[in-house]
Amino acid sequence: MMTLPTICWQNGYVKLIDQTKLPNKLEFIICRDVKTLWAAIKRLSVRGAPAIGVAAGFGVLLGIKTFKGKDSRKFIQHVNKVCDYLATSRPTAVNLFNALDQMKNVLQRHAGESVENLKQLLKSEALAIYEYDRKVCRAMGDHGAELIKANSRIMTICNAGALATVDYGTALGVMYSAKRLNKKFKVYACETRPLLQGARLTTWELMRAKIDTTLICDSMAAGLMRDQKIDAVFTGADRIAANGDTANKIGTYNLAVLAKFHNIPFYVVAPFSTFDLNISSGKQIPIEQRGSDEVINFRSIQTAPQNVKVFNPAFDVTEAKLISAIVTEQGIIRPPFVKNIKATIKSVKIK
Ligand code: MRU
């Protein structure tokens, strides 16, 4: 488990691990203004739905540093502009929008307060989003650990670990909790083309935590499942609709279909901040399309003709019927998801 936070607020600035440099170098970026933070989200220096949500909260704090004056009305307009700007960084992870809504709600609840007070209240809210993530990841880990049977072989994709949150993870948090309980298991990490979050980040993180980890190419998942070498799949999520349909890193849907065919449980691990109860199904989830360069080149190495046409969606949607259960901070939600998601989430305030 990571001992250093992926992202934090330090002396009035945002400090984050530059994940584009991992696993070769552990380097940090200091963001002193909102534009630098926006760019860090866009190019995936900070990534993973919960970490993006935390970054958005801190981004608002950076954005208000430049505001001068005592007019609360103008201040609120300024905050709304900063939020709108941050909202353009990446479209799929709903944690980003939920965090921005949470920041805007502070202003609504405290209309009439001075600019100075509003700034303080926003700071407390951003720090609360950070603390909430630390707390709920541990809670999800502890609930999910019961799904890991002795000597399990687990498959995962992308990075849903400490690096995708403040410091513990969602799907990988379940593994950290299982390890703490002295359970024996091993992990197969899919490399996760095109940006290799599985190869670069998940293996780095799991090996630091001394968890038995094997890296595979994405195309090897089917064969491993057929050969009865996988007992469960655990993934994170970027957005979960009210019916349980789940957007996550491209390739997640492949694993879910394969798991169904081979009768292997498929678990999604995500906090309430990843649910979007305003949409009834995954069809309404906006999927980020990224540049062709990510598929044509790996860093500076060209791996395809420069002018080839490329299709590069960053996420896909796994239908709820392929999901065995969703692990949340309030426990494990099982089908029927429409009813059980509503029953679990309506009773809890996100904070
Ligand atoms: O493009 P990324 O690296 O931000 O995609 C991240 C994922 O798909 C993760 O699985 C998801 O955000 C859950 S992280 C706990």
Side-chain angles (χ1 to χ4, degrees):
M1 188 199 126
M2 198 85 122
T3 42
L4 57 152
T6 296
I7 178 166
C8 64
W9 182 253
Q10 205 173 75
N11 306 323
Y13 306 117
V14 180
K15 182 178 174 189
L16 52 91
I17 296 177
D18 183 355
Q19 298 188 35
T20 65
K21 299 277 165 54
L22 287 172
N24 306 345
K25 288 185 200 147
L26 178 58
E27 277 181 12
F28 296 85
I29 298 177
I30 304 288
C31 303
R32 295 171 199 277
D33 57 72
V34 66
K35 275 194 174 159
T36 309
L37 184 81
W38 184 96
I41 297 174
K42 185 81 187 169
R43 70 167 178 273
L44 274 52
S45 286
V46 59
R47 45 141 306 274
I52 293 172
V54 172
F58 289 155
V60 173
L61 302 189
L62 293 178
I64 61 177
K65 277 191 354 185
T66 50
F67 184 86
K68 303 270 178 285
K70 296 192 181 322
D71 185 332
S72 303
R73 213 173 42 86
K74 283 199 180 134
F75 178 69
I76 291 172
Q77 280 170 1
H78 178 81
V79 175
N80 285 331
K81 257 171 90 177
V82 170
C83 290
D84 290 348
Y85 171 63
L86 285 164
T88 62
S89 57
R90 291 190 78 190
T92 305
V94 77
N95 306 58
L96 172 77
F97 306 96
N98 284 338
L100 294 174
D101 282 349
Q102 233 179 293
M103 297 297 278
K104 286 195 262 189
N105 286 344
V106 169
L107 303 178
Q108 268 180 12
R109 284 202 308 274
H110 298 276
E113 294 267 0
S114 69
V115 170
E116 219 33 59
N117 286 352
L118 289 175
K119 281 188 173 177
Q120 270 311 318
L121 288 161
L122 286 171
K123 185 172 174 195
S124 307
E125 195 70 14
L127 292 171
I129 294 170
Y130 169 93
E131 282 302 335
Y132 162 85
D133 178 77
R134 300 191 65 234
K135 196 172 82 191
V136 298
C137 282
R138 284 158 178 80
M140 284 184 287
D142 294 350
H143 289 302
E146 72 185 58
L147 298 170
I148 297 188
K149 305 211 175 78
N151 303 313
S152 278
R153 291 131 332 151
I154 299 165
M155 187 172 280
T156 191
I157 184 166
C158 195
N159 172 269
L163 289 165
T165 60
V166 170
D167 63 358
Y168 197 77
T170 60
L172 300 194
V174 168
M175 298 169 205
Y176 296 139
S177 291
K179 184 172 165 63
R180 243 192 25 239
L181 296 169
N182 286 322
K183 294 197 175 194
K184 297 269 174 293
F185 62 93
K186 62 182 290 175
V187 180
Y188 286 93
C190 295
E191 64 175 351
T192 320
R193 280 280 292 154
L195 295 181
L196 304 183
Q197 288 91 331
R200 296 186 300 106
L201 309 177
T202 293
T203 57
W204 181 79
E205 223 191 282
L206 291 178
M207 287 167 74
R208 270 170 64 107
K210 306 209 174 341
I211 288 177
D212 182 344
T213 307
T214 305
L215 174 64
I216 59 165
C217 299
D218 299 326
S219 47
M220 295 164 187
L224 268 180
M225 290 191 191
R226 187 208 45 213
D227 295 345
Q228 300 183 349
K229 295 211 164 97
I230 302 298
D231 300 298
V233 180
F234 281 83
T235 78
D238 281 81
R239 191 184 295 227
I240 303 177
N243 69 347
D245 288 355
T246 295
N248 191 50
K249 179 53 56 195
I250 190 76
T252 302
Y253 174 56
N254 303 30
L255 295 188
V257 171
L258 287 171
K260 187 73 163 183
F261 184 79
H262 294 98
N263 228 349
I264 295 166
F266 182 92
Y267 300 118
V268 171
V269 188
F272 290 169
S273 54
T274 302
F275 284 76
D276 183 352
L277 300 186
N278 297 318
I279 57 171
S280 56
S281 90
K283 291 200 177 74
Q284 292 150 272
I285 300 177
I287 299 294
E288 177 182 15
Q289 301 292 328
R290 293 186 64 89
S292 57
D293 55 309
E294 291 181 351
V295 183
I296 292 174
N297 308 297
F298 179 67
R299 297 198 169 149
S300 53
I301 301 167
Q302 189 183 329
T303 57
Q306 273 306 342
N307 55 353
V308 68
K309 283 194 281 182
V310 168
F311 176 53
N312 185 19
F315 303 96
D316 58 26
V317 175
T318 297
E319 287 161 77
K321 66 180 181 204
L322 299 174
I323 299 170
S324 312
I326 304 174
V327 180
T328 73
E329 62 268 42
Q330 285 293 313
I332 299 172
I333 306 181
R334 294 189 184 270
F337 286 121
V338 174
K339 178 168 154 262
N340 292 344
I341 287 174
K342 207 167 169 186
T344 312
I345 296 191
K346 74 164 191 278
S347 54
V348 180
K349 190 167 178 282
I350 296 175
K351 195 137 189 220

